[in-house]
Amino acid sequence: MKKRSEQYDLIIIPGLKLGLHWGMRKDLCSRLRVAAEFYQENPGLHIAVCGCWSIWFDWLGIHPPVTECKRMKTNLIRHGVEREDIVMESHSKDTPGNVYYLKRYLCT
């Protein structure tokens, strides 16, 4: 991946419904891999992972044992991202919620 000339402070990765056995889907793993690569090439970055779990689980009366953002944080750490450079937003259950709760978190 090429470095960009612009300076970035934060990479935002919105949540994506967990798959079978509460694992991450391939498309989410791909997002995280690209974010980790970009992080490694651009010192000073932070990564925000967003998502509690899909609102669908609430509607179905399912309470997942883990949040999307926790799974994503674990994956990023495995890919060399420093724990203290990861911001977790763990309240949202849909894409508009990702933005709303992350903004509230960052502005307080």
Side-chain angles (χ1 to χ4, degrees):
M1 178 181 299
K2 283 181 107 175
K3 288 186 183 179
R4 300 182 189 249
S5 59
E6 301 95 354
Q7 180 60 41
Y8 298 95
D9 297 324
L10 181 68
I11 299 170
I12 301 171
I13 305 173
L16 187 63
K17 185 171 75 172
L18 296 174
L20 188 63
H21 305 292
W22 310 116
M24 291 187 307
R25 297 171 15 186
K26 287 182 184 180
D27 41 356
L28 180 55
C29 289
S30 178
R31 287 182 199 175
L32 294 167
R33 182 184 44 76
V34 170
E37 289 172 5
F38 194 76
Y39 168 88
Q40 298 296 339
E41 295 170 358
N42 296 276
L45 277 177
H46 288 81
I47 300 178
V49 290
C50 302
C52 182
W53 53 67
S54 172
I55 190 82
W56 284 98
F57 294 135
D58 285 345
W59 294 338
L60 296 171
I62 299 170
H63 186 84
V66 67
T67 62
E68 295 168 5
C69 65
K70 233 177 219 182
R71 285 273 194 241
M72 290 189 281
K73 181 176 182 175
T74 300
N75 181 284
L76 288 170
I77 291 169
R78 225 175 308 138
H79 282 92
V81 177
E82 296 294 326
R83 182 179 306 276
E84 60 272 6
D85 290 337
I86 302 171
V87 174
M88 285 182 25
E89 178 283 299
S90 61
H91 297 289
S92 62
K93 296 183 180 183
D94 58 15
T95 304
N98 292 158
V99 176
Y100 173 78
Y101 287 110
L102 182 60
K103 183 177 179 181
R104 281 188 58 188
Y105 177 84
L106 295 174
C107 291
T108 56

